[in-house]
Amino acid sequence: MSVESSRSEQYPLRRREVVGRLLADRGDALVVAGLGAPAWDVTAAGDDPLNFPLWGAMGGAVSMGLGLALAQPRRRVIVITGDGEMLMGLGSLATVAACQPSNLAIVVLDNERYGETGMQHTHTAGDTDLVAIAGAAGISRVHRVLTGEHLNDACVHLVQDTGPMFFGVKVRAEALPLVLPPKDGAWLKDRFRLALLGESSVNG
Amino acid sequence: MNEPASWQQDIFDVLMDHDMRMVAYVPDAGHIGLIDACQSDPDVTTVPLTTEEEGIALLSGAWLGGARGALLMQSSGAGNCMNMLSLAKVCRFPLLMLITMRGQWGEFNPWQVPMGQTTAEMLKLAGVITFGVDDGGDVRDTVGAAARMSVHGNAATAVLISQRLLGAKTFGN
Ligand SMILES: Cc1ncc(C[n+]2csc(CCOP(=O)(O)OP(=O)(O)O)c2C)c(N)n1
Ligand SMILES: [Mg+2]
Protein backbone atom coordinates (compact mmCIF):
# COMPACT_ATOMS: atom_id res chain seq x y z
CA MET A 1 0.00 0.00 0.00
CA SER A 2 1.43 3.38 -0.96
CA VAL A 3 0.97 5.62 2.01
CA GLU A 4 2.03 9.09 3.02
CA SER A 5 2.13 7.78 6.50
CA SER A 6 1.96 10.87 8.64
CA ARG A 7 0.19 13.53 6.59
CA SER A 8 -3.03 13.39 8.60
CA GLU A 9 -1.13 14.23 11.78
CA GLN A 10 -0.71 17.72 10.29
CA TYR A 11 -4.29 18.37 9.16
CA PRO A 12 -5.58 21.63 10.63
CA LEU A 13 -9.15 20.56 11.43
CA ARG A 14 -9.69 18.99 14.84
CA ARG A 15 -12.53 16.50 15.08
CA ARG A 16 -14.11 17.70 18.32
CA GLU A 17 -14.30 21.25 17.06
CA VAL A 18 -15.67 20.11 13.70
CA VAL A 19 -18.48 18.12 15.30
CA GLY A 20 -19.19 20.87 17.83
CA ARG A 21 -19.54 23.39 15.03
CA LEU A 22 -21.68 21.16 12.81
CA LEU A 23 -24.05 20.34 15.64
CA ALA A 24 -24.20 23.83 17.17
CA ASP A 25 -27.20 24.71 14.99
CA ARG A 26 -28.68 21.24 14.87
CA GLY A 27 -32.15 22.41 15.87
CA ASP A 28 -34.35 19.34 15.98
CA ALA A 29 -32.07 17.27 13.74
CA LEU A 30 -31.72 13.55 14.38
CA VAL A 31 -28.15 12.28 14.68
CA VAL A 32 -26.67 8.83 14.10
CA ALA A 33 -23.03 8.42 15.14
CA GLY A 34 -20.73 5.67 13.87
CA LEU A 35 -18.96 3.45 16.37
CA GLY A 36 -15.92 4.59 18.31
CA ALA A 37 -14.45 8.06 18.17
CA PRO A 38 -17.25 9.66 16.09
CA ALA A 39 -19.72 8.56 18.78
CA TRP A 40 -17.46 10.06 21.44
CA ASP A 41 -17.19 13.31 19.43
CA VAL A 42 -20.97 13.57 19.08
CA THR A 43 -21.35 12.93 22.80
CA ALA A 44 -18.71 15.56 23.62
CA ALA A 45 -20.90 18.03 21.73
CA GLY A 46 -23.74 17.13 24.11
CA ASP A 47 -25.55 13.88 24.85
CA ASP A 48 -29.08 14.14 23.48
CA PRO A 49 -32.06 11.78 23.32
CA LEU A 50 -32.14 12.40 19.58
CA ASN A 51 -28.62 11.01 19.16
CA PHE A 52 -28.20 7.37 18.32
CA PRO A 53 -24.56 6.54 19.08
CA LEU A 54 -23.54 3.14 17.75
CA TRP A 55 -21.18 0.92 19.75
CA GLY A 56 -20.95 -1.71 17.02
CA ALA A 57 -22.73 -2.42 13.71
CA MET A 58 -19.63 -1.29 11.83
CA GLY A 59 -20.59 -0.36 8.25
CA GLY A 60 -24.20 0.32 9.18
CA ALA A 61 -24.28 3.99 10.21
CA VAL A 62 -25.28 5.40 6.82
CA SER A 63 -27.94 2.72 6.31
CA MET A 64 -29.37 3.48 9.73
CA GLY A 65 -29.48 7.18 8.93
CA LEU A 66 -31.15 6.39 5.60
CA GLY A 67 -33.91 4.37 7.26
CA LEU A 68 -34.46 7.15 9.75
CA ALA A 69 -34.51 9.81 7.03
CA LEU A 70 -37.07 7.86 5.00
CA ALA A 71 -39.24 7.35 8.08
CA GLN A 72 -39.02 11.03 9.10
CA PRO A 73 -38.96 12.97 5.82
CA ARG A 74 -39.57 16.31 7.53
CA ARG A 75 -36.66 16.06 9.99
CA ARG A 76 -33.03 16.58 9.12
CA VAL A 77 -30.94 13.47 9.73
CA ILE A 78 -27.18 13.78 10.15
CA VAL A 79 -24.90 10.73 10.12
CA ILE A 80 -21.46 11.40 11.61
CA THR A 81 -19.02 8.56 11.17
CA GLY A 82 -15.39 7.60 10.61
CA ASP A 83 -13.51 6.73 7.44
CA GLY A 84 -13.01 3.13 8.58
CA GLU A 85 -16.69 2.69 9.35
CA MET A 86 -17.64 4.28 6.01
CA LEU A 87 -15.26 2.03 4.09
CA MET A 88 -17.00 -1.03 5.50
CA GLY A 89 -20.35 0.15 4.14
CA LEU A 90 -19.47 1.85 0.84
CA GLY A 91 -22.41 0.19 -0.87
CA SER A 92 -24.76 2.10 1.39
CA LEU A 93 -23.76 5.30 -0.44
CA ALA A 94 -25.21 3.80 -3.62
CA THR A 95 -28.35 2.87 -1.71
CA VAL A 96 -28.65 6.47 -0.49
CA ALA A 97 -28.32 7.60 -4.10
CA ALA A 98 -31.02 5.14 -5.15
CA CYS A 99 -33.38 6.73 -2.61
CA GLN A 100 -32.22 10.40 -2.83
CA PRO A 101 -33.51 11.41 0.61
CA SER A 102 -33.60 15.22 0.67
CA ASN A 103 -33.20 15.32 4.47
CA LEU A 104 -30.04 13.20 4.88
CA ALA A 105 -26.52 14.51 5.42
CA ILE A 106 -23.48 12.27 5.84
CA VAL A 107 -20.36 13.59 7.53
CA VAL A 108 -17.23 11.45 7.47
CA LEU A 109 -14.48 12.41 9.90
CA ASP A 110 -11.58 11.17 7.82
CA ASN A 111 -8.41 10.89 9.90
CA GLU A 112 -7.03 8.23 7.51
CA ARG A 113 -6.80 5.90 10.47
CA TYR A 114 -8.65 3.18 12.30
CA GLY A 115 -8.40 5.18 15.51
CA GLU A 116 -10.08 2.82 17.93
CA THR A 117 -7.92 -0.15 17.11
CA GLY A 118 -4.54 1.55 17.31
CA MET A 119 -4.35 4.15 14.53
CA GLN A 120 -3.63 1.77 11.66
CA HIS A 121 -3.88 3.39 8.23
CA THR A 122 -7.15 3.12 6.39
CA HIS A 123 -7.34 3.09 2.62
CA THR A 124 -7.84 6.86 2.60
CA ALA A 125 -4.24 7.25 3.77
CA GLY A 126 -3.43 6.05 0.26
CA ASP A 127 -5.25 6.96 -2.91
CA THR A 128 -8.83 6.22 -1.89
CA ASP A 129 -11.03 9.31 -2.04
CA LEU A 130 -14.33 9.03 -0.17
CA VAL A 131 -15.68 12.30 -1.58
CA ALA A 132 -15.14 11.05 -5.12
CA ILE A 133 -16.70 7.72 -4.21
CA ALA A 134 -19.78 9.41 -2.75
CA GLY A 135 -20.13 11.52 -5.89
CA ALA A 136 -19.66 8.55 -8.18
CA ALA A 137 -22.17 6.57 -6.11
CA GLY A 138 -24.73 9.14 -7.18
CA ILE A 139 -24.79 11.68 -4.35
CA SER A 140 -24.55 14.98 -6.20
CA ARG A 141 -23.98 17.40 -3.32
CA VAL A 142 -20.55 16.42 -2.03
CA HIS A 143 -18.14 18.69 -0.17
CA ARG A 144 -14.47 18.36 0.55
CA VAL A 145 -13.74 19.98 3.90
CA LEU A 146 -10.04 20.62 4.52
CA THR A 147 -9.81 24.03 6.19
CA GLY A 148 -11.58 26.28 8.66
CA GLU A 149 -13.04 28.21 5.77
CA HIS A 150 -14.43 25.04 4.23
CA LEU A 151 -15.91 24.19 7.61
CA ASN A 152 -17.70 27.54 7.77
CA ASP A 153 -19.21 26.82 4.36
CA ALA A 154 -20.12 23.28 5.40
CA CYS A 155 -22.07 24.59 8.40
CA VAL A 156 -24.15 26.74 6.04
CA HIS A 157 -24.68 23.94 3.50
CA LEU A 158 -25.73 21.53 6.22
CA VAL A 159 -28.55 23.79 7.33
CA GLN A 160 -29.62 25.32 4.02
CA ASP A 161 -29.17 22.76 1.28
CA THR A 162 -31.39 19.88 0.33
CA GLY A 163 -29.83 16.48 0.48
CA PRO A 164 -28.61 13.96 0.19
CA MET A 165 -25.30 15.61 1.05
CA PHE A 166 -21.89 14.17 1.78
CA PHE A 167 -19.12 15.96 3.64
CA GLY A 168 -15.68 14.39 3.60
CA VAL A 169 -13.84 16.16 6.41
CA LYS A 170 -10.10 15.61 6.67
CA VAL A 171 -9.35 15.74 10.39
CA ARG A 172 -6.12 15.44 12.30
CA ALA A 173 -5.18 11.96 13.48
CA GLU A 174 -5.26 12.35 17.24
CA ALA A 175 -6.30 10.30 20.23
CA LEU A 176 -8.61 12.28 22.48
CA PRO A 177 -10.11 11.67 25.92
CA LEU A 178 -13.11 9.35 25.78
CA VAL A 179 -16.53 10.96 26.22
CA LEU A 180 -18.78 7.94 26.32
CA PRO A 181 -22.51 7.96 25.60
CA PRO A 182 -24.89 5.53 27.31
CA LYS A 183 -24.29 2.06 25.93
CA ASP A 184 -27.41 0.00 26.52
CA GLY A 185 -28.85 -0.27 23.02
CA ALA A 186 -32.43 -1.01 24.03
CA TRP A 187 -32.40 1.99 26.34
CA LEU A 188 -30.94 4.26 23.66
CA LYS A 189 -33.65 3.11 21.28
CA ASP A 190 -36.46 3.76 23.75
CA ARG A 191 -34.97 7.11 24.75
CA PHE A 192 -34.86 8.14 21.10
CA ARG A 193 -38.40 6.99 20.29
CA LEU A 194 -39.79 8.56 23.45
CA ALA A 195 -38.26 11.93 22.51
CA LEU A 196 -39.27 11.73 18.85
CA LEU A 197 -42.56 9.85 18.86
CA GLY A 198 -43.90 10.17 22.41
CA GLU A 199 -44.90 7.89 25.24
CA SER A 200 -47.14 5.54 23.26
CA SER A 201 -44.22 4.51 21.05
CA VAL A 202 -42.44 2.78 23.91
CA ASN A 203 -45.43 1.75 25.97
CA GLY A 204 -47.84 0.47 23.33
CA MET B 1 -45.15 -6.52 -13.78
CA ASN B 2 -44.93 -10.14 -12.62
CA GLU B 3 -48.22 -11.11 -11.03
CA PRO B 4 -47.60 -12.29 -7.48
CA ALA B 5 -48.24 -15.95 -6.74
CA SER B 6 -51.02 -16.34 -4.21
CA TRP B 7 -48.57 -16.93 -1.35
CA GLN B 8 -46.66 -13.81 -2.38
CA GLN B 9 -49.91 -11.86 -2.36
CA ASP B 10 -50.51 -13.28 1.13
CA ILE B 11 -47.16 -11.90 2.28
CA PHE B 12 -48.00 -8.52 0.78
CA ASP B 13 -51.34 -8.49 2.60
CA VAL B 14 -49.74 -9.41 5.93
CA LEU B 15 -47.16 -6.64 5.52
CA MET B 16 -49.90 -4.10 4.85
CA ASP B 17 -52.03 -5.42 7.75
CA HIS B 18 -49.07 -4.78 10.06
CA ASP B 19 -48.31 -1.39 8.54
CA MET B 20 -44.92 -2.62 7.35
CA ARG B 21 -44.48 -0.27 4.43
CA MET B 22 -40.73 -0.08 4.03
CA VAL B 23 -39.58 -3.09 2.07
CA ALA B 24 -35.84 -3.51 1.57
CA TYR B 25 -34.39 -6.22 -0.61
CA VAL B 26 -31.58 -7.78 -2.52
CA PRO B 27 -33.55 -9.52 -5.25
CA ASP B 28 -34.14 -13.23 -5.39
CA ALA B 29 -36.17 -14.88 -8.11
CA GLY B 30 -38.41 -16.29 -5.38
CA HIS B 31 -39.45 -12.78 -4.36
CA ILE B 32 -40.19 -11.44 -7.87
CA GLY B 33 -43.96 -11.16 -7.56
CA LEU B 34 -43.77 -9.64 -4.07
CA ILE B 35 -41.14 -7.07 -5.03
CA ASP B 36 -43.23 -6.05 -8.04
CA ALA B 37 -46.36 -5.77 -5.90
CA CYS B 38 -44.49 -3.53 -3.43
CA GLN B 39 -43.02 -1.37 -6.17
CA SER B 40 -46.36 -0.79 -7.78
CA ASP B 41 -48.00 0.36 -4.53
CA PRO B 42 -47.39 4.09 -3.96
CA ASP B 43 -47.77 3.65 -0.19
CA VAL B 44 -44.85 1.23 -0.01
CA THR B 45 -41.27 2.48 0.08
CA THR B 46 -39.03 -0.08 -1.58
CA VAL B 47 -35.30 0.16 -0.93
CA PRO B 48 -32.88 -1.79 -3.13
CA LEU B 49 -29.79 -2.75 -1.12
CA THR B 50 -26.27 -3.54 -2.26
CA THR B 51 -25.89 -6.14 0.50
CA GLU B 52 -28.42 -7.64 2.87
CA GLU B 53 -26.79 -6.36 6.07
CA GLU B 54 -27.67 -2.82 5.01
CA GLY B 55 -31.30 -3.79 5.44
CA ILE B 56 -30.89 -4.62 9.14
CA ALA B 57 -29.43 -1.17 9.85
CA LEU B 58 -31.91 0.52 7.51
CA LEU B 59 -34.97 -0.99 9.16
CA SER B 60 -33.54 -0.28 12.63
CA GLY B 61 -33.23 3.37 11.64
CA ALA B 62 -36.73 3.30 10.22
CA TRP B 63 -38.06 1.90 13.50
CA LEU B 64 -36.30 4.71 15.39
CA GLY B 65 -38.30 7.05 13.18
CA GLY B 66 -41.58 5.24 13.73
CA ALA B 67 -41.77 3.25 10.49
CA ARG B 68 -42.04 -0.51 10.09
CA GLY B 69 -40.76 -2.74 7.37
CA ALA B 70 -39.46 -6.08 6.19
CA LEU B 71 -36.26 -7.36 4.63
CA LEU B 72 -36.36 -9.72 1.64
CA MET B 73 -33.42 -11.87 0.60
CA GLN B 74 -32.37 -15.32 -0.51
CA SER B 75 -30.66 -17.69 1.91
CA SER B 76 -27.13 -16.81 0.83
CA GLY B 77 -27.85 -13.24 1.90
CA ALA B 78 -28.48 -14.36 5.47
CA GLY B 79 -24.77 -15.05 5.77
CA ASN B 80 -24.05 -11.44 4.86
CA CYS B 81 -26.05 -10.29 7.88
CA MET B 82 -24.30 -12.02 10.74
CA ASN B 83 -22.56 -9.15 12.56
CA MET B 84 -25.29 -6.64 11.79
CA LEU B 85 -27.81 -8.89 13.54
CA SER B 86 -26.14 -7.86 16.78
CA LEU B 87 -27.74 -4.44 16.25
CA ALA B 88 -31.20 -6.02 16.30
CA LYS B 89 -30.35 -8.16 19.28
CA VAL B 90 -28.60 -5.66 21.54
CA CYS B 91 -31.11 -2.88 20.86
CA ARG B 92 -34.13 -5.18 20.63
CA PHE B 93 -35.15 -3.74 17.28
CA PRO B 94 -38.08 -5.51 15.62
CA LEU B 95 -36.95 -7.30 12.48
CA LEU B 96 -38.83 -9.41 9.95
CA MET B 97 -36.65 -11.22 7.41
CA LEU B 98 -38.36 -13.11 4.60
CA ILE B 99 -35.87 -15.54 3.16
CA THR B 100 -36.37 -17.60 0.04
CA MET B 101 -34.31 -20.76 0.35
CA ARG B 102 -31.70 -22.08 -2.04
CA GLY B 103 -29.36 -24.99 -1.54
CA GLN B 104 -32.02 -26.85 0.31
CA TRP B 105 -34.37 -29.01 -1.79
CA GLY B 106 -33.13 -30.48 -5.04
CA GLU B 107 -30.61 -27.69 -5.56
CA PHE B 108 -28.76 -27.80 -8.86
CA ASN B 109 -26.04 -25.28 -7.95
CA PRO B 110 -23.65 -26.67 -5.33
CA TRP B 111 -22.41 -23.16 -4.50
CA GLN B 112 -25.78 -22.43 -2.89
CA VAL B 113 -25.67 -25.46 -0.62
CA PRO B 114 -23.26 -24.42 2.15
CA MET B 115 -25.26 -21.33 3.05
CA GLY B 116 -28.65 -22.91 2.44
CA GLN B 117 -27.79 -25.76 4.79
CA THR B 118 -26.71 -23.43 7.60
CA THR B 119 -29.19 -20.57 7.26
CA ALA B 120 -31.62 -21.67 9.97
CA GLU B 121 -28.94 -22.63 12.48
CA MET B 122 -26.94 -19.52 11.84
CA LEU B 123 -29.95 -17.29 12.39
CA LYS B 124 -30.83 -19.13 15.58
CA LEU B 125 -27.29 -18.71 16.87
CA ALA B 126 -27.64 -14.99 16.22
CA GLY B 127 -30.79 -14.90 18.33
CA VAL B 128 -33.30 -14.73 15.48
CA ILE B 129 -36.63 -16.52 15.94
CA THR B 130 -36.94 -18.63 12.81
CA PHE B 131 -39.96 -20.18 11.15
CA GLY B 132 -39.92 -22.56 8.22
CA VAL B 133 -42.71 -22.82 5.70
CA ASP B 134 -43.02 -25.63 3.15
CA ASP B 135 -46.56 -25.18 1.93
CA GLY B 136 -47.94 -22.11 0.18
CA GLY B 137 -51.12 -22.42 2.21
CA ASP B 138 -49.17 -21.81 5.44
CA VAL B 139 -47.41 -18.66 4.33
CA ARG B 140 -50.02 -16.18 5.49
CA ASP B 141 -50.26 -17.52 9.04
CA THR B 142 -46.53 -18.01 9.41
CA VAL B 143 -45.56 -14.56 8.18
CA GLY B 144 -48.34 -13.10 10.32
CA ALA B 145 -47.02 -14.86 13.41
CA ALA B 146 -43.48 -13.65 12.75
CA ALA B 147 -44.64 -10.10 12.02
CA ARG B 148 -46.58 -9.95 15.29
CA MET B 149 -43.70 -11.26 17.34
CA SER B 150 -41.35 -8.75 15.78
CA VAL B 151 -43.37 -5.56 16.14
CA HIS B 152 -45.11 -6.43 19.40
CA GLY B 153 -42.22 -8.26 21.03
CA ASN B 154 -39.24 -6.29 19.73
CA ALA B 155 -37.91 -9.55 18.33
CA ALA B 156 -35.75 -10.42 15.36
CA THR B 157 -37.64 -12.97 13.28
CA ALA B 158 -37.12 -14.80 10.01
CA VAL B 159 -39.42 -16.86 7.82
CA LEU B 160 -37.55 -19.37 5.68
CA ILE B 161 -39.62 -20.07 2.59
CA SER B 162 -38.73 -23.56 1.44
CA GLN B 163 -37.19 -24.28 -1.93
CA ARG B 164 -39.75 -27.03 -2.20
CA LEU B 165 -42.46 -24.38 -2.31
CA LEU B 166 -40.50 -22.21 -4.74
CA GLY B 167 -39.42 -25.03 -7.04
CA ALA B 168 -35.75 -25.77 -7.52
CA LYS B 169 -33.94 -23.84 -10.25
CA THR B 170 -32.45 -26.26 -12.77
CA PHE B 171 -30.94 -24.18 -15.60
CA GLY B 172 -32.56 -26.70 -17.94
CA ASN B 173 -30.92 -29.74 -16.33
C1 LIG C 1 -17.08 -5.71 12.03
C2 LIG C 1 -16.03 -5.05 12.85
N1 LIG C 1 -14.72 -5.09 12.47
C3 LIG C 1 -13.78 -4.49 13.21
C4 LIG C 1 -14.11 -3.82 14.36
C5 LIG C 1 -13.06 -3.14 15.19
N2 LIG C 1 -13.13 -1.68 15.08
C6 LIG C 1 -13.79 -0.95 15.98
S1 LIG C 1 -13.70 0.70 15.68
C7 LIG C 1 -12.74 0.41 14.34
C8 LIG C 1 -12.12 1.55 13.56
C9 LIG C 1 -13.03 2.63 13.25
O1 LIG C 1 -12.30 3.54 12.47
P1 LIG C 1 -12.98 4.85 11.99
O2 LIG C 1 -14.38 4.60 11.63
O3 LIG C 1 -12.11 5.48 10.96
O4 LIG C 1 -13.02 5.75 13.33
P2 LIG C 1 -11.85 6.63 14.02
O5 LIG C 1 -11.63 6.02 15.36
O6 LIG C 1 -10.63 6.57 13.17
O7 LIG C 1 -12.42 7.98 14.10
C10 LIG C 1 -12.53 -0.94 14.11
C11 LIG C 1 -11.72 -1.50 13.01
C12 LIG C 1 -15.47 -3.81 14.74
N3 LIG C 1 -15.91 -3.20 15.86
N4 LIG C 1 -16.40 -4.42 13.97
MG1 LIG D 1 -10.74 6.98 11.10
Side-chain angles (χ1 to χ4, degrees), chain A residues 1-20:
Chain A
M1 181 175 175
S2 79
V3 157
E4 288 177 59
S5 61
S6 59
R7 72 181 176 202
S8 67
E9 287 160 24
Q10 314 301 324
Y11 288 158
L13 291 176
R14 314 288 295 270
R15 53 191 306 151
R16 288 271 156 92
E17 191 194 332
V18 168
V19 173

Side-chain angles (χ1 to χ4, degrees), chain A residues 15 37-38 81-85 108-116 119-120 122 124 171:
Chain A
R15 53 191 306 151
T81 193
D83 49 317
E85 203 278 342
V108 175
L109 303 170
D110 183 0
N111 60 357
E112 305 178 357
R113 298 286 195 284
Y114 294 103
E116 196 69 15
M119 288 287 181
Q120 300 89 350
T122 64
T124 63
V171 296

